Amino acid sequence: MKEITLKIAQEHGLDAAEFELTKKILGRVPNLVEIGIFSAMWSEHCSYKSSKVHLRRFPTTGKQVVQGPGENAGVIDVGNGLVAAFKMESHNHPSYIEPVQGAATGVGGILRDVFTMGARPIASYDCLRFGQPSHPKTRYLVGGVVHGISMYGNCFGVPNGGGSTRFHECYNGNILVNVMTIGLAKSDALFYGKASGVGNKVMYIGSKTGRDGIHGAVMASDTFGEESESKRPTVQVGDPFTEKLLLEACLEIFEKKLVEGIQDMGAAGLTSSSFEMAGRGGTGINMYLDKVPQRETGMTPYEIMLSESQERMLLVAKPENEADILEVLQKWDLEAVTIGEVTDHGRVKLFFYGELSADMPVDGCVDAAPKYERPMKKPEYLKITSAYDASNLPAPKSISAIFFSLLGSPNLSGKNWITEQYDTMIGTNTIFGPGHDANVLRVQGTNTALAVSTGCNETYCYLDPYTGGMIAISECVRNLACVGARALASTDCLNFGSPMNPEIMWQLSQAVDGISTAALALDAPIVGGNVSLYNQTDDLAIYPTPMMGVVGILEDVSKAVPSFFQSEGDEIFLLGETLAETGGSEYQKSVLGKDLGLPPSLDLNKERNLINALIALSDKRLSAGAHDCSEGGLLIALAECTLGKGLGCEVEIKSALRDDVLLFSESQSRAVLSVKTANAKAATDLLAKHNVPCVKIGVVTSGAFVVKVNGTAAVSTTAKEIQKVHGQSFEGQIFGK
């Protein structure tokens, strides 16, 4: 075996200081297998070495939190003896290199994170960011990513509850594919990724190991350049049918209580699963790599340990349960092999046909991973963007023309072409699917429902990452409140550029603080998530994109509030205050072609008041429909309220604001509420009690859509025309149809 030099270490993503640390930990120069393991375990993707010091500031506890960060998924108590396990992950780099398999295996990985905890997945979500529609790769990437997500989720048999898809030129060289899954388990039947019990067996279950995905974690911790296409072999290949078998086999094993610990072989494969399980258990592991099922000939210990082949698990079981586990796996036509045992020596020792291939201390690879406080600097670009005076925005000749342009824009148009490729109803638990403010899922056997909302506005985060971080989580909590649900907890996927850039680290730190502030104020602690760094090509980084996913609960599923107008004659109210806030808005970008100014402000006291009021309105059955007012402003929100039943509205607003500012401002803490006339007084009294500004602005119509400002019609059209523009524009802009 050749001697490991600094050059070889650097080729594995380790710097000179880290290479010296590996030698200090081992007391010698690592061999090739060991340097490969160090490089994977100390990658940004696995160790969070540049972000961990900031993540510690997240609020992670609460009365409903059962398991916070550090496990395969976060877990919360949802009542009735049940818990929900959920997490969000990224598969950005693989999806840019090979969109179908990159996106598909992202879905497969997050599903395993959830059912590894003992929870049956009940829904998945995708948060996608692509470059400009006119970019030469966008059409290919959109088509491939959507196909990969739909193929895996549909075949596996889990509904896709929604998500968000946006386009911006900052993603031309680095798309984002963030996926989330939520599952349910009995509160007394959770399983953890821990290798405990000296003498217990270490078992490999699932698909055979191949050479796909080797160095995947390291690749995900590096920037892109001209050689990006050469990284295609590091993208894994997924098989959703095998994953479904693996799910059912694992749940049967769990039900029979045959397992002491279990972990998905995700990023870094057998390396991360073995070291992390031993680390949590305070134990060691001996593994015999020649026993690992392999689908390719001549594989080396290095390849076996670093492969990221999909649909694989590592579990720990008592010796007396070994035969029963093998029997269950055989029943499901899956590989199941005992490849090692738990020890008390605190090391992972790897043997290959009787020879020792690696001998490494567990804490040296896990706990001793470098943790950096990278330099931070406020970005220079903010001097320009924050100096912009939004009052200089030129007034449009036609509000109606701007309205239809925004309604059919890539970010605001309907994503039917995407969601229609997903199975959104399988399992028969879906109450509200894609298109509503939040996905609502019936909890079978109970009267309750779970609600999930995901998203982030990257432009807000670019212009002010602290405020953008606050808004990212606040809007998700507000979306839950619109359907009547109370937030319980959150997960995140923090997507940023290179941590070696002090300006990127400042963005990350500010976003974390903004998210933390809002999570505390809105009782939505962060129970898990992911950090994805190095999302840049050469020196061009993406906008900071801290994607959020928030889970809430409806105590009575019959009180779920739809996001659309429900009946002709219902009264329409605007909740919250509209300010002159067009910085970072869809409207401003459509006029200037640039992202300038400051994002809308956020008063968390006002936000909390609105959220509490919306939940109370639902609880007292006073809401007919409720819809968050956010991207695109009030006029777009009103248009989106027509999409469910094709009902329109007649609205008149009196305001001192300029018409375009009034209608397209993206001021926060607002919602459009529709109520039956008989409930109007009770609703307004309740809103006053919660100190929420409320003004009646119109009524629901059978199909006409007329919005007047100070007596003059700004838009006069029909719900049918709105549905046409909103529903057909996306496919035409992306695919030219």
Side-chain angles (χ1 to χ4, degrees):
M1 191 175 290
K2 63 181 179 181
E3 181 182 355
I4 301 301
T5 63
L6 175 59
K7 181 176 184 296
I8 293 174
Q10 290 172 331
E11 290 170 353
H12 280 75
L14 300 174
D15 62 26
E18 290 169 344
F19 182 46
E20 289 302 314
L21 182 57
T22 67
K23 292 190 283 187
K24 182 179 179 181
I25 288 170
L26 294 180
R28 55 178 170 78
V29 177
N31 62 35
L32 184 62
V33 177
E34 291 164 341
I35 204 68
I37 289 171
F38 274 122
S39 72
M41 293 300 296
W42 290 4
S43 67
E44 292 284 359
H45 195 77
C46 292
S47 74
Y48 302 119
K49 60 187 177 185
S50 296
S51 58
K52 189 168 283 189
V53 295
H54 301 288
L55 301 180
R56 289 171 179 161
R57 301 200 295 275
F58 277 149
T60 59
T61 59
K63 62 181 180 180
Q64 71 281 2
V65 176
V66 175
Q67 174 64 54
E71 265 290 343
N72 289 291
V75 182
I76 55 173
D77 189 334
V78 295
N80 298 294
L82 298 172
V83 294
F86 63 100
K87 188 182 181 184
M88 186 181 287
E89 269 276 8
S90 64
H91 233 220
N92 303 335
H93 283 44
S95 299
Y96 183 81
I97 295 169
E98 211 306 295
V100 175
Q101 287 301 334
T105 52
V107 174
I110 199 66
L111 287 167
R112 289 194 302 278
D113 281 339
V114 166
F115 73 72
T116 297
M117 302 294 296
R120 179 178 288 277
I122 59 171
S124 288
Y125 309 85
D126 56 271
C127 296
L128 312 177
R129 296 295 182 267
F130 298 102
Q132 294 167 299
S134 59
H135 189 272
K137 287 198 73 170
T138 297
R139 177 177 180 177
Y140 161 72
L141 291 169
V142 171
V145 165
V146 172
H147 176 62
I149 291 171
S150 63
M151 176 271 291
Y152 207 101
N154 293 353
C155 292
F156 180 84
V158 63
N160 188 303
S164 68
T165 301
R166 289 173 58 84
F167 297 80
H168 194 282
E169 59 267 24
C170 75
Y171 304 112
N172 282 347
N174 285 84
I175 65 171
L176 300 184
V177 176
N178 293 176
V179 287
M180 175 180 168
T181 291
I182 183 170
L184 286 173
K186 294 180 180 178
S187 56
D188 60 352
L190 283 172
F191 293 84
Y192 298 93
K194 181 186 295 186
S196 59
V198 174
N200 282 343
K201 300 297 183 180
V202 176
M203 302 182 70
Y204 173 117
I205 65 174
S207 295
K208 292 182 178 181
T209 295
R211 290 189 171 94
D212 54 318
I214 293 174
H215 291 308
V218 178
M219 178 270 289
S221 307
D222 196 7
T223 57
F224 279 162
E226 293 181 0
E227 78 292 347
S228 296
E229 290 298 320
S230 68
K231 296 179 180 179
R232 191 177 300 271
T234 63
V235 178
Q236 310 93 326
V237 178
D239 179 353
F241 297 106
T242 298
E243 179 110 333
K244 174 64 172 175
L245 296 177
L246 189 60
L247 163 71
E248 300 301 340
C250 285
L251 293 181
E252 183 173 339
I253 290 170
F254 295 154
E255 186 177 3
K256 294 180 177 180
K257 301 187 185 302
L258 300 176
V259 176
E260 302 303 306
I262 185 168
Q263 174 120 341
D264 164 41
M265 289 190 218
L270 192 52
T271 288
S272 61
S273 56
S274 57
F275 277 89
E276 289 174 4
M277 290 184 75
R280 295 190 192 107
T283 57
I285 290 178
N286 287 346
M287 283 198 299
Y288 309 97
L289 300 184
D290 48 287
K291 295 184 178 181
V292 171
Q294 300 160 48
R295 66 168 180 263
E296 299 184 47
T297 59
M299 291 191 71
T300 65
Y302 178 91
E303 293 171 325
I304 293 169
M305 287 301 293
L306 296 179
S307 167
E308 294 186 9
S309 294
Q310 296 292 285
E311 293 85 42
R312 303 180 301 159
M313 298 280 202
L314 194 68
L315 65 83
V316 171
K318 293 179 179 178
E320 58 266 32
N321 292 330
E322 181 180 8
D324 291 336
I325 291 173
L326 293 173
E327 183 179 345
V328 171
L329 269 293
Q330 186 177 23
K331 166 189 169 182
W332 291 100
D333 198 26
L334 291 168
E335 293 280 350
V337 180
T338 298
I339 63 169
E341 64 271 342
V342 178
T343 68
D344 61 1
H345 52 47
R347 307 177 74 83
V348 170
K349 295 186 178 184
L350 306 176
F351 299 89
F352 192 60
Y353 292 106
E355 293 189 8
L356 185 64
S357 297
D359 184 356
M360 307 173 71
V362 172
D363 57 0
C365 283
V366 180
D367 298 332
K371 299 176 184 65
Y372 296 119
E373 293 194 34
R374 305 281 191 194
M376 295 187 293
K377 176 187 175 185
K378 189 173 182 177
E380 291 295 318
Y381 71 79
L382 290 175
K383 293 179 181 178
I384 299 172
T385 57
S386 61
Y388 173 74
D389 184 354
S391 65
N392 292 331
L393 194 67
K397 294 180 180 179
S398 168
I399 293 289
S400 185
I402 292 289
F403 166 66
F404 279 109
S405 175
L406 288 176
L407 188 66
S409 66
N411 285 346
L412 299 179
S413 61
K415 306 304 186 294
N416 301 2
W417 182 87
I418 294 177
T419 57
E420 286 173 359
Q421 296 188 54
Y422 301 152
D423 191 330
T424 61
M425 300 299 292
I426 190 169
T428 68
N429 295 319
T430 303
I431 305 297
F432 294 161
H436 286 264
D437 279 31
N439 178 218
V440 178
L441 300 158
R442 179 187 296 105
V443 179
Q444 288 189 352
T446 77
N447 195 42
T448 63
L450 297 179
V452 181
S453 176
T454 63
C456 168
N457 187 309
E458 64 282 346
T459 303
Y460 295 169
C461 295
Y462 171 75
L463 297 174
D464 180 351
Y466 180 85
T467 300
M470 284 202 300
I471 291 174
I473 186 170
S474 297
E475 186 175 341
C476 288
V477 176
R478 190 187 321 140
N479 284 335
L480 296 183
C482 282
V483 301
R486 173 174 53 87
L488 295 177
S490 308
T491 184
D492 63 66
C493 193
L494 308 180
N495 306 275
F496 291 82
S498 170
M500 308 309 291
N501 183 339
E503 294 187 350
I504 300 295
M505 287 309 300
W506 184 87
Q507 291 175 337
L508 173 63
S509 178
Q510 289 287 300
V512 165
D513 286 342
I515 293 169
S516 298
T517 300
L520 277 171
L522 303 178
D523 297 320
I526 314 298
V527 297
N530 173 240
V531 178
S532 176
L533 302 180
Y534 292 100
N535 289 289
Q536 66 182 65
T537 298
D538 297 323
D539 293 329
L540 188 62
I542 65 165
Y543 279 9
T545 314
M547 208 76 74
M548 298 302 305
V550 183
V551 176
I553 192 165
L554 269 158
E555 302 293 349
D556 184 345
V557 66
S558 69
K559 295 179 179 180
V561 179
S563 303
F564 314 113
F565 295 141
Q566 294 299 298
S567 301
E568 184 179 356
D570 285 352
E571 298 184 19
I572 303 171
F573 294 86
L574 173 61
L575 312 185
E577 298 175 282
T578 302
L579 307 175
E581 295 181 307
T582 58
S585 67
E586 295 292 325
Y587 171 54
Q588 182 207 62
K589 184 65 177 284
S590 73
V591 175
L592 299 179
K594 300 178 182 178
D595 299 312
L596 294 171
L598 294 173
S601 58
L602 180 65
D603 184 322
L604 286 168
N605 288 323
K606 294 179 180 178
E607 186 71 57
R608 188 167 50 236
N609 289 344
L610 174 64
I611 287 165
N612 289 338
L614 287 166
I615 295 171
L617 286 166
S618 164
D619 186 59
K620 295 183 181 299
R621 302 184 189 275
L622 297 176
S623 303
H627 184 46
D628 169 38
C629 187
S630 54
E631 282 91 350
L634 173 59
L635 197 49
I636 294 298
L638 288 168
E640 290 171 345
C641 288
T642 72
L643 299 175
K645 292 188 172 182
L647 297 170
C649 62
E650 289 186 2
V651 165
E652 180 162 1
I653 309 168
K654 299 185 183 301
S655 174
L657 294 174
R658 209 171 74 180
D659 289 6
D660 59 327
V661 173
L662 169 70
L663 296 175
F664 299 123
S665 167
E666 295 183 3
S667 293
Q668 298 296 294
S669 309
R670 296 185 300 162
V672 173
L673 175 72
S674 59
V675 299
K676 294 187 178 303
T677 299
N679 292 331
K681 184 178 186 306
T684 54
D685 287 348
L686 186 151
L687 289 161
K689 179 181 177 181
H690 283 85
N691 199 28
V692 173
C694 165
V695 59
K696 180 181 175 181
I697 59 173
V699 296
V700 177
T701 69
S702 61
F705 184 93
V706 180
V707 176
K708 298 179 181 179
V709 179
N710 298 325
T712 301
V715 174
S716 181
T717 185
T718 64
K720 185 176 181 180
E721 182 64 18
I722 287 172
Q723 289 180 325
K724 178 181 177 182
V725 174
H726 184 267
Q728 296 179 2
S729 298
F730 175 79
E731 191 173 359
Q733 292 199 32
I734 304 302
F735 299 101
K737 296 181 180 179

